[in-house]
Amino acid sequence: MSKNVILITADALRPDVVEKLPFLRSLIPKSSFFSNVISYQNNSTGAFYSIFSGIYGNRSGANSYFGTMDFKRDKCKLLTKYFKERNYFTIAHSMSDIILPHEHFDKYFSELDENKIPELYDNIINEIKNCSRNFFAHFHVAIIHSRIIENVAKKYKYNEKKYYLQVEENKKNYFQYALEADSRIKKLLDNFDLSECILVIYSDHGTSYGEKFGERFYGSLCYDDTLRTFAIFHGNEFPSFKTDLVVRGVDIMPTILDVMNIKEDGETRLD
């Protein structure tokens, strides 16, 4: 029987925090865990398009926050299309319309309001349960992003020294946001039989606690803290191991295709 596929983007979750979170820590011994994944960009848009196309944005056109307008849709085959061609029910949540490619999703929901997310996820889960086909689902867990915007971006200017002098306090605050994200992921996955699924949990980019002056969180500078991410591949098809070897976020797509025995068909055509 074909496996269902669940992708969860844990927005701005740092790899050095993942193993300190109760639920994600419990998954790691039964998964392939990569703790040193390098994101294509330090922002969600560039990272998402590289993950879903398997192509760097300097070639696909999605090379910035607003690079979606230049994405070469006629030349780059998206991960979603491979599953749509195989009659999967494709459904997604993204925190913003411009971040995750819309193409080839049967249903696509854009929502950032954290108060509305639980009800939205209930609706998406019902859609999946009422579907008679295999499904490909993406969930954008953006609690960390939302808390950073609320408690950092709106309170401190990029050059406000006070923020950079309280790194330990920033770190403690961030960990509470990460615990919220971990709890939401657990609650979400409690609705699925993971033995029937390929599960991939990853971060689109990292973030900073203010260790480097000028980098309050992410999206501006390119230090390791904002470019380093992680990936957890969970399912019977994946061996159990941990590695800190450097790998690329752009390779998430071909890894999923490979484990699903789907060959890239050459439909992506770039000069």
Side-chain angles (χ1 to χ4, degrees), residues 158-169:
Y158 81 94
N159 60 351
E160 194 165 340
K161 291 184 178 179
K162 178 182 177 181
Y163 180 72
Y164 303 99
L165 294 174
Q166 59 181 36
V167 170
E168 287 305 312
E169 181 180 343

Side-chain angles (χ1 to χ4, degrees), residues 11 13 39 45 48 52 66 75 99 114 128-129 146 149 154 163 165 172 183 201 209 215 221 228 260:
D11 200 301
L13 179 54
S39 175
T45 306
F48 266 94
F52 272 75
F66 303 103
K75 294 184 176 181
I99 289 176
E114 290 297 331
I128 290 172
K129 288 183 176 179
S146 297
I149 296 302
K154 292 183 178 180
Y163 180 72
L165 294 174
K172 290 177 182 178
S183 177
I201 305 174
Y209 302 137
E215 189 176 52
L221 304 177
R228 282 190 62 225
M260 294 293 290

Side-chain angles (χ1 to χ4, degrees), residues 78 125 158 174:
L78 294 166
I125 290 163
Y158 81 94
Y174 175 89

Side-chain angles (χ1 to χ4, degrees), residues 199-217:
L199 170 65
V200 186
I201 305 174
Y202 58 89
S203 181
D204 48 349
H205 52 72
T207 194
S208 170
Y209 302 137
E211 296 100 321
K212 304 289 194 305
F213 185 79
E215 189 176 52
R216 289 173 296 171
F217 38 95

Side-chain angles (χ1 to χ4, degrees), residues 84-98:
K84 183 67 175 172
E85 289 174 343
R86 286 156 179 80
N87 200 35
Y88 272 64
F89 174 58
T90 54
I91 189 167
H93 161 243
S94 174
M95 73 175 187
S96 168
D97 284 337
I98 70 169

Side-chain angles (χ1 to χ4, degrees), residues 2-262:
S2 297
K3 289 290 188 79
N4 301 308
V5 179
I6 302 172
L7 271 59
I8 298 178
T9 301
D11 200 301
L13 179 54
R14 291 174 56 127
D16 56 355
V17 172
V18 173
E19 292 188 86
K20 300 174 184 177
L21 303 175
F23 178 66
L24 292 185
R25 183 176 64 232
S26 73
L27 278 182
I28 288 172
K30 301 169 284 187
S31 309
S32 298
F33 175 52
F34 297 87
S35 63
N36 199 10
V37 181
I38 304 302
S39 175
Y40 169 65
Q41 282 194 339
N42 61 357
N43 62 76
S44 294
T45 306
F48 266 94
Y49 271 77
S50 68
I51 290 169
F52 272 75
S53 67
I55 303 168
Y56 285 138
N58 63 323
R59 299 191 67 215
S60 73
N63 201 30
S64 68
Y65 270 118
F66 303 103
T68 58
M69 301 296 291
D70 299 319
F71 182 63
K72 299 172 183 176
R73 287 172 167 78
D74 59 332
K75 294 184 176 181
C76 301
K77 186 169 183 176
L78 294 166
L79 177 62
T80 325
K81 187 175 182 181
Y82 281 97
F83 288 94
K84 183 67 175 172
E85 289 174 343
R86 286 156 179 80
N87 200 35
Y88 272 64
F89 174 58
T90 54
I91 189 167
H93 161 243
S94 174
M95 73 175 187
S96 168
D97 284 337
I98 70 169
I99 289 176
L100 177 68
H102 285 241
E103 289 88 347
H104 316 299
F105 279 110
D106 294 306
K107 295 201 172 181
Y108 184 110
F109 300 90
S110 176
E111 184 59 70
L112 180 59
D113 188 337
E114 290 297 331
N115 294 319
K116 297 179 180 179
I117 297 296
E119 182 179 358
L120 171 62
Y121 280 8
D122 287 343
N123 292 337
I124 292 175
I125 290 163
N126 285 333
E127 291 269 6
I128 290 172
K129 288 183 176 179
N130 292 328
C131 176
S132 59
R133 295 178 282 159
N134 284 106
F135 66 84
F136 174 96
H138 173 269
F139 297 92
H140 192 167
V141 177
I143 294 175
I144 296 173
H145 165 90
S146 297
R147 298 293 184 252
I148 287 174
I149 296 302
E150 178 184 355
N151 298 312
V152 179
K154 292 183 178 180
K155 289 185 178 181
Y156 300 96
K157 295 181 179 179
Y158 81 94
N159 60 351
E160 194 165 340
K161 291 184 178 179
K162 178 182 177 181
Y163 180 72
Y164 303 99
L165 294 174
Q166 59 181 36
V167 170
E168 287 305 312
E169 181 180 343
N170 300 339
K171 187 175 181 179
K172 290 177 182 178
N173 292 337
Y174 175 89
F175 188 67
Q176 295 306 309
Y177 313 152
L179 285 172
E180 287 187 80
D182 185 64
S183 177
R184 175 159 293 170
I185 292 170
K186 180 185 184 303
K187 186 175 180 180
L188 171 63
L189 291 177
D190 282 344
N191 293 280
F192 299 99
D193 181 354
L194 294 184
S195 69
E196 298 178 354
C197 300
I198 295 294
L199 170 65
V200 186
I201 305 174
Y202 58 89
S203 181
D204 48 349
H205 52 72
T207 194
S208 170
Y209 302 137
E211 296 100 321
K212 304 289 194 305
F213 185 79
E215 189 176 52
R216 289 173 296 171
F217 38 95
Y218 59 86
S220 299
L221 304 177
C222 291
Y223 289 111
D224 282 357
D225 291 331
T226 55
L227 290 177
R228 282 190 62 225
T229 68
F230 74 95
I232 296 172
F233 293 86
H234 182 80
N236 294 333
E237 294 77 7
F238 297 105
S240 298
F241 72 89
K242 297 194 297 184
T243 180
D244 60 359
L245 293 175
V246 176
V247 295
R248 309 179 302 174
V250 75
D251 288 326
I252 290 175
M253 171 178 163
T255 301
I256 294 171
L257 293 179
D258 185 60
V259 79
M260 294 293 290
N261 294 313
I262 299 173

